[in-house]
């Protein structure tokens, strides 16, 4: 078999066209928010987690939290975000994960 550059041009072009899609699929998703009481005051030391993925974070004193979901685990699915703290009733919310969002 003889090496001819023209035979590889379609392969190279298709690889270059697929590259952005592959890179986007690997982008992590960052979930941020703020936990507050019923009175609107920020709550610190609240565990905010996605139990199905084993990911979570603690809110800071100003109630803010950040959870980073690795890009390899993001597939457009809807997950349950759960917030809990001793002395308070736990709350949950549905979040849809999508790459680059």
């Amino acid at each position: 078999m003889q090496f001819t550059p023209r035979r590889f041009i379609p392969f190279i072009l298709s690889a270059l066209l697929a590259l952005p899609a592959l890179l986007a699929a690997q982008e992590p998703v960052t979930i941020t928010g703020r936990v507050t009481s019923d009175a609107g005051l920020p709550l610190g030391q609240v565990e905010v987690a996605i139990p199905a993925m084993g990911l979570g974070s603690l809110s800071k004193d100003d109630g803010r939290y950040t959870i980073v979901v690795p890009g390899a685990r993001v597939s457009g699915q809807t997950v349950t975000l759960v917030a809990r703290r001793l002395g308070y009733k736990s709350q949950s919310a549905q979040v849809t994960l999508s790459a680059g969002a």
Side-chain angles (χ1 to χ4, degrees), residues 32-35 42-44 57-66:
T32 59
R34 185 168 180 237
V35 182
L43 290 175
S57 175
L58 280 178
S59 66
K60 297 181 181 177
D61 290 336
D62 63 356
R64 300 201 182 275
Y65 65 89
T66 301

Side-chain angles (χ1 to χ4, degrees), residues 52-86:
M53 295 184 141
L55 300 172
S57 175
L58 280 178
S59 66
K60 297 181 181 177
D61 290 336
D62 63 356
R64 300 201 182 275
Y65 65 89
T66 301
I67 300 174
V68 178
V69 181
R73 299 182 70 184
V74 175
S75 63
Q77 75 269 30
T78 300
V79 295
T80 302
L81 191 67
V82 179
R84 42 182 161 222
R85 180 178 172 189
L86 248 135

Side-chain angles (χ1 to χ4, degrees), residues 36-43 88:
T36 59
S37 67
D38 289 338
L41 300 172
L43 290 175
Y88 289 83

